[in-house]
């Protein structure tokens, strides 16, 4: 996987070009196959750049359509939209995030008081369960901060249904280690595997499926292939999507955060950017490599913003904005949103404005509107 220091827009564009020129053409057929660490990925591996919006979903999806046509790019574009869907769904179901945080805290308390649970957990994160495949994935996650998407699903299923560990601890393990760790995608993917996102529908790792899609590299025995879904008394309630603000006219200070690092394409209207500040709020407990990636991404965005707007750009410090009104890209639920100061004008991209209201229920509603969301080809 890429070194955290190469978390720049230029590196992301190079990775996108390599994907479109190579494995992208075979994406639909090969994407579920995990061939292991020492091989070229069968997925795009663009998610670390998309997570920080060094690359935007819009430009990646449209580049795929230009390269492969609408039919040829359909599966890849749909997978890009899953990321958008998860963000919009969490914005309209914020209880899913607060419940994860509360559940994680409760599960950590259980680790302190239940020796058996603690031994199982420690064996799982150290890759000492004896389950073929699972232990390799645990080691890869810690060493490389990356896992193939199919391996993430197998791992989460084994964690929940075979090892009987709290799903919140597994979601936290991923979020702290993954270079593309995203609060919405991570939380809702673990809930989906558990059967909580789509109630009554869970994902069970099966021995024959692991064997087939690792091309015989792993053959795990002893999986619980008949486990029931997890359940909760009341699912997270839906709330209206929070409105965005309009960028004020005239001179402003632009505040960047880790959820949107492509300032060149922000919908700023008639605003004139006079200063740019960067706020790095990594996820709680993030590994050193993830924090280094966040720092490198922000440094790259600030350098580009300074050049693009022709103004000073640097880390946020006390009084950095002076008396200028502060404008920031809309931050979805997570560490960036929690760290933003009060009083900012929060602007939302056209992509999110179109997609998030369609993400309040199941994915199929948004999937049917993909052509509308992608719009006229103008980068939002």
């Amino acid at each position: 996987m890429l070194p955290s220091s190469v978390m720049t827009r230029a590196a992301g564009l190079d990775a996108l070009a390599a994907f479109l020129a190579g494995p992208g053409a075979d994406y639909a057929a090969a994407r579920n196959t995990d061939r292991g660490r020492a091989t070229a990925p069968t997925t795009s591996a663009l998610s670390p750049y998309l997570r920080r919006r060094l690359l935007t979903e819009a430009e990646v999806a449209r580049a795929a359509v230009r390269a492969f046509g609408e039919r040829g790019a359909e599966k890849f574009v749909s997978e890009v939209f899953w990321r958008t869907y998860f963000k919009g769904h969490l914005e309209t179901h914020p209880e899913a995030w607060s419940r994860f945080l509360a559940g994680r805290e409760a599960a950590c308390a259980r680790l302190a008081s239940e020796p058996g649970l603690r031994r199982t957990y420690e064996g799982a994160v150290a890759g000492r369960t004896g389950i073929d495949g699972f232990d390799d994935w645990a080691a890869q996650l810690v060493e490389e901060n990356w896992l193939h998407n199919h391996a993430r699903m197998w791992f989460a299923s084994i964690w929940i249904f075979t090892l009987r560990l709290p799903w919140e601890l597994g979601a936290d393990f991923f979020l702290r280690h993954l270079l593309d760790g995203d609060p919405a995608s991570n939380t809702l993917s673990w809930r989906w595997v558990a059967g909580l996102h789509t109630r009554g529908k869970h994902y069970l790792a099966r021995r024959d499926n692991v064997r087939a899609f690792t091309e015989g590299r792993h053959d795990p025995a002893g999986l619980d292939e008949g486990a029931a879904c997890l359940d909760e008394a009341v699912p997270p309630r839906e709330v209206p999507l929070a409105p965005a603000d309009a960028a004020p006219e005239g001179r402003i200070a632009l505040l960047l955060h880790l959820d949107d690092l492509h300032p060149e394409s922000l919908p700023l209207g008639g605003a004139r950017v006079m200063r740019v500040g960067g706020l790095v709020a990594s996820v709680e407990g993030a590994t050193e490599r993830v924090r280094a990636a966040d720092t490198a991404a922000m440094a790259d965005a600030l350098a580009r913003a300074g050049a693009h707007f022709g103004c000073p750009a640097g880390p946020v410090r006390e009084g950095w904005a002076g008396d200028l009104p502060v404008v920031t890209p809309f931050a979805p639920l997570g560490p960036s949103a929690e760290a933003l100061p009060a009083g900012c004008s929060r602007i939302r991209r056209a992509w999110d404005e179109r997609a998030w209201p369609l993400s309040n229920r199941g994915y199929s509603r948004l999937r049917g509107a993909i052509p509308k969301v992608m719009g006229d080809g103008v980068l939002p």
Side-chain angles (χ1 to χ4, degrees):
M1 194 54 192
L2 73 167
S4 55
S5 59
V6 190
M7 195 58 62
T8 65
R9 175 164 169 79
L13 290 171
D14 287 345
L16 174 60
F19 171 70
L20 297 177
D26 197 36
Y27 176 85
R31 69 184 183 90
N32 283 328
T33 301
D34 178 11
R35 298 191 174 118
R37 296 204 210 189
T39 61
T42 55
T43 60
S44 71
L46 295 174
S47 53
Y49 304 106
L50 287 165
R51 184 265 176 273
R52 298 167 177 85
R53 269 190 172 158
L54 291 166
L55 300 178
T56 70
E57 296 91 330
E59 67 181 323
V60 167
R62 290 169 183 157
V65 171
R66 287 195 300 270
F68 308 124
E70 289 187 9
R71 286 183 60 84
E74 183 177 11
K75 176 54 68 174
F76 175 72
V77 169
S78 180
E79 292 301 313
V80 171
F81 268 87
W82 268 104
R83 176 172 297 273
T84 298
Y85 165 76
F86 281 140
K87 287 185 183 297
H89 194 88
L90 197 63
E91 288 301 303
T92 54
H93 297 78
E95 267 189 84
W97 176 247
S98 59
R99 288 187 190 186
F100 158 65
L101 296 177
R104 181 181 64 182
E105 183 177 355
C108 287
R110 288 183 60 195
L111 291 179
S113 62
E114 299 178 29
L117 181 69
R118 185 170 63 251
R119 283 193 296 272
T120 302
Y121 170 78
E122 290 173 350
V125 298
R128 296 195 308 265
T129 67
I131 299 174
D132 185 25
F134 183 94
D135 290 347
D136 294 275
W137 301 322
Q140 183 181 1
L141 178 61
V142 170
E143 293 166 12
E144 298 185 357
N145 302 96
W146 175 258
L147 280 180
H148 186 285
N149 185 61
H150 209 165
R152 299 182 195 200
M153 294 164 59
W154 293 322
F155 186 101
S157 179
I158 294 169
W159 180 284
I160 296 167
F161 299 116
T162 297
L163 296 176
R164 299 289 196 270
L165 286 166
W167 73 265
E168 296 93 342
L169 291 179
D172 177 65
F173 183 47
F174 270 23
L175 194 58
R176 289 184 291 108
H177 284 84
L178 286 169
L179 277 175
D180 61 357
D182 172 80
S185 294
N186 188 66
T187 302
L188 297 181
S189 291
W190 274 83
R191 285 179 57 85
W192 180 81
V193 169
L196 299 172
H197 182 69
T198 303
R199 300 190 76 183
K201 182 179 180 180
H202 57 345
Y203 177 81
L204 286 174
R206 302 185 184 279
R207 183 177 186 177
D208 60 349
N209 184 264
V210 175
R211 186 170 56 240
F213 286 100
T214 61
E215 298 179 332
R217 205 172 64 259
H218 296 303
D219 187 16
L223 303 185
D224 188 343
E225 300 187 12
C229 296
L230 300 190
D231 199 7
E232 55 193 352
V234 180
R237 63 189 178 92
E238 182 180 333
V239 302
L241 183 65
D245 300 313
E249 298 288 327
R251 294 152 54 96
I252 66 165
L254 178 63
L255 177 58
L256 300 180
H257 53 73
L258 291 174
D259 287 273
D260 199 318
L261 295 178
H262 192 235
E264 301 94 322
S265 63
L266 287 172
L268 294 172
R272 182 183 174 194
V273 178
M274 306 304 296
R275 299 176 191 172
V276 181
L279 178 64
V280 176
S282 297
V283 300
E284 182 181 350
T287 66
E288 182 178 345
R289 194 156 180 257
V290 171
R291 290 180 182 276
D294 290 343
T295 300
M298 180 59 74
D300 176 67
L302 288 172
R304 285 184 285 107
H308 181 76
F309 296 114
C311 69
V316 166
R317 295 184 174 87
E318 186 175 355
W320 72 278
D323 58 358
L324 296 170
V326 177
V327 175
T328 189
F330 197 99
L333 277 175
S336 292
E338 293 159 7
L340 287 174
C344 299
S345 294
R346 304 182 304 160
I347 59 173
R348 193 147 57 211
R349 293 177 180 271
W351 181 275
D352 298 334
E353 198 68 33
R354 296 167 187 163
W356 286 3
L358 303 174
S359 302
N360 58 331
R361 302 295 171 85
Y363 175 65
S364 60
R365 185 180 179 209
L366 176 59
R367 182 176 58 200
I370 285 176
K372 177 183 176 182
V373 175
M374 291 184 67
D376 56 11
V378 177
L379 186 69

